[in-house]
Amino acid sequence: MYDVLVAGAGMAGCVAARAAAEKGKRVLLVEKRPQIGGNCYDCYDSYGVLIHPYGPHIFHTDREEVREFLSRFTGWKDFRHKVVARTGEGLIPVPFNLNTLHQVFGPEAERMERKLTEIFGEGSKVSILTLMKQDDPDLQRIGEYVYQNIYLKYTMKQWGKKPEELDPSVTSRVPVRIARDDGYFTNRYQGLPADGFTPMFQNMVQHPLITVWVNTAMEDVAEVRENRIWLQGEPFEGQVIFTGALDEFFGCRYGRLPYRTLEFEFLHQDVPDYQGHSVVNYTVSEKFTRITEFKHLTGQECPGTTICREYPKDYKGTEGEIPYYVIENEENRRLYSRYLQEAQKIQGVHVLGRLAEYKYYDMDAIAERALQLIRQLIS
Ligand code: UDP
């Protein structure tokens, strides 16, 4: 019946399913949630506001192939994402950049700017940990300010760890920028699907060779026996693309892989504007990390507004909890590689995406990986 079985209909699974179908393969895409789109899924709340129930998602990329691929299923609303942090100095632009420098340090900023530009070069990106290691007292002051006011408390809330205890790849996602640019991302293409993420995914899986079963977990239809996948009781001869959490797939037999989860608090307000910004990071106070106000993200015009506060916590694997963030470090990668070895023993199984590869991927990187994997599997 099917040539390819894809488990999970998020970015990884939907792109892989479509790419495989376009190569003439019959694809079964199973998704345990009642809807497709993974954590990018968006919908209208009971007040008619378009929200992202699994946290704010903004598409940004320099990858032409990915942009082109996705553009076949959606138009785009260009949107240059900006984030501000609420600190003692009021709202300041994040990532910390030369505008932030002037706002925070006033008349001293000019001298500091000269030093930053001389040492790192105009337009460069510097990680907070690099900045803090500088000998110059001005640069140390900047480093200390940024560390204390932007990174330390936010990172403690987000990860339960200090910035220096994390894999450097995490905090370097939001570097200090030696430029007068308040944009959160620097990618060429930035925006949201014109009608939302969900219609984009629906269009993507709309293909005569793709069958989608929602409310269907991988284990509802398939099992592993004799190092192969059995689909509904029959040995499956095709390729299997698995996008879920690998540890859970193997019953956590070597122990749980650590993840962070989020609790979202959605609130509708009968005011046209709550915070004037799409995202405000709370970097020195509060238990939540950030507040998203969706209408500023989506550009939707509506009388009221819906906001969302994010409370990160450890993922325990209890019913309904979602593993949003992998925690990349040596120890966790070692544990992950044991699960990967198990997966590699199973005929035709390939892992793809944030969960299955245990990697802090952005959306566009996942889409690229999915396209590459299908090219590699189906030449
Ligand atoms: N970060 C921070 N303060 C900020 C923004 C980011 O400390 O105001 C750190 C924090 O550790 C965070 C990481 O940088 O987890 C990556 O941030 P990003 O915005 O990329 O996280 P995401 O949107 O994926 O949650």
Side-chain angles (χ1 to χ4, degrees):
M1 269 295 274
Y2 300 107
D3 307 302
V4 179
L5 169 63
V6 181
M11 180 63 89
C14 289
V15 171
R18 179 71 190 212
E22 288 182 352
K23 288 190 180 288
K25 301 298 172 190
R26 294 161 302 178
V27 181
L28 174 62
L29 174 58
V30 295
E31 166 56 55
K32 67 177 169 191
R33 291 183 189 169
Q35 75 275 331
I36 64 164
N39 294 339
C40 300
Y41 170 75
D42 52 13
C43 62
Y44 289 88
D45 68 7
S46 56
Y47 303 94
V49 181
L50 182 59
I51 59 164
H52 296 181
Y54 304 105
H57 284 76
I58 299 111
F59 182 74
H60 54 103
T61 195
D62 292 316
R63 296 169 158 97
E64 296 288 342
E65 185 195 15
V66 170
R67 164 81 182 187
E68 263 171 41
F69 180 85
L70 297 180
S71 299
R72 292 170 45 213
F73 312 109
T74 184
W76 297 97
K77 219 178 292 165
D78 288 337
F79 173 72
R80 285 194 86 76
H81 187 41
K82 289 185 181 173
V83 174
V84 289
R86 185 171 287 287
T87 66
E89 284 66 40
L91 295 176
I92 61 169
V94 173
F96 189 94
N97 63 59
L98 294 180
N99 292 330
T100 328
L101 182 79
H102 283 266
Q103 187 178 334
V104 171
F105 290 100
E108 292 187 278
E110 209 153 304
R111 183 185 73 239
M112 293 168 151
E113 177 175 343
R114 266 198 307 277
K115 290 187 181 176
L116 284 169
T117 320
E118 260 167 37
I119 294 180
F120 301 110
E122 209 178 320
S124 59
K125 297 175 181 177
V126 187
S127 80
I128 176 61
L129 300 174
T130 306
L131 189 59
M132 290 180 75
K133 282 189 210 133
Q134 300 303 309
D135 291 331
D136 183 281
D138 272 343
L139 299 189
Q140 277 178 6
R141 253 178 83 205
I142 303 170
E144 188 60 17
Y145 176 87
V146 178
Y147 183 82
Q148 292 295 342
N149 290 279
I150 297 182
Y151 287 92
L152 180 59
K153 294 211 176 70
Y154 188 101
T155 300
M156 288 300 295
K157 285 189 272 186
Q158 175 73 17
W159 301 99
K161 287 185 168 58
K162 292 185 175 172
E164 58 271 31
E165 294 168 337
L166 287 174
D167 201 81
S169 61
V170 176
T171 45
S172 60
R173 288 171 61 87
V174 186
V176 169
R177 253 196 250 133
I178 318 299
R180 281 192 179 265
D181 175 10
D182 291 342
Y184 200 64
F185 309 115
T186 51
N187 306 94
R188 171 146 183 225
Y189 303 112
Q190 301 184 27
L192 284 100
D195 302 317
F197 282 100
T198 304
M200 176 181 85
F201 287 111
Q202 283 166 342
N203 292 337
M204 200 181 294
V205 300
Q206 191 71 47
H207 188 286
L209 294 181
I210 302 178
T211 304
V212 183
W213 291 348
V214 290
N215 294 310
T216 308
M218 174 76 160
E219 54 270 28
D220 295 339
V221 291
E223 61 177 325
V224 183
R225 258 190 291 139
E226 298 141 20
N227 283 335
R228 68 191 305 169
I229 295 283
W230 294 66
L231 178 61
Q232 299 196 298
E234 299 287 327
F236 185 65
E237 306 291 343
Q239 306 290 346
V240 179
I241 296 172
F242 182 75
T243 73
L246 263 198
D247 57 336
E248 293 183 354
F249 183 65
F250 290 108
C252 298
R253 63 176 72 148
Y254 303 126
R256 273 198 175 279
L257 275 166
Y259 302 93
R260 293 289 277 177
T261 187
L262 296 168
E263 240 174 60
F264 295 106
E265 185 184 17
F266 285 87
L267 224 76
H268 184 78
Q269 308 264 314
D270 279 326
V271 293
D273 191 356
Y274 176 78
Q275 62 182 15
H277 297 271
S278 47
V279 175
V280 177
N281 284 1
Y282 283 75
T283 54
V284 289
S285 63
E286 311 301 339
K287 286 212 170 83
F288 48 84
T289 48
R290 57 187 174 190
I291 297 184
T292 300
E293 185 170 5
F294 292 99
K295 70 193 304 186
H296 294 305
L297 266 191
T298 58
Q300 187 185 2
E301 287 181 20
C302 43
T305 190
T306 300
I307 63 157
C308 163
R309 301 188 179 119
E310 288 177 46
Y311 297 85
K313 53 181 202 169
D314 274 339
Y315 173 76
K316 300 260 175 9
T318 53
E319 186 71 28
E321 237 184 11
I322 295 171
Y324 285 102
Y325 293 93
V326 303
I327 305 176
E328 284 190 67
N329 62 31
E330 282 285 302
E331 188 188 345
N332 297 347
R333 270 194 284 265
R334 256 198 310 277
L335 177 56
Y336 169 75
S337 69
R338 297 184 71 186
Y339 286 113
L340 183 61
Q341 278 168 20
E342 291 295 322
Q344 285 166 341
K345 285 184 202 153
I346 309 169
Q347 188 187 311
V349 168
H350 310 275
V351 296
L352 179 69
R354 217 184 234 219
L355 287 177
E357 294 181 59
Y358 203 71
K359 230 172 158 220
Y360 196 167
Y361 271 128
D362 283 330
M363 265 185 266
D364 67 324
I366 298 173
E368 182 177 64
R369 274 275 302 132
L371 293 172
Q372 282 167 348
L373 178 64
I374 295 301
R375 255 199 306 273
Q376 183 192 321
L377 294 181
I378 310 163
S379 48

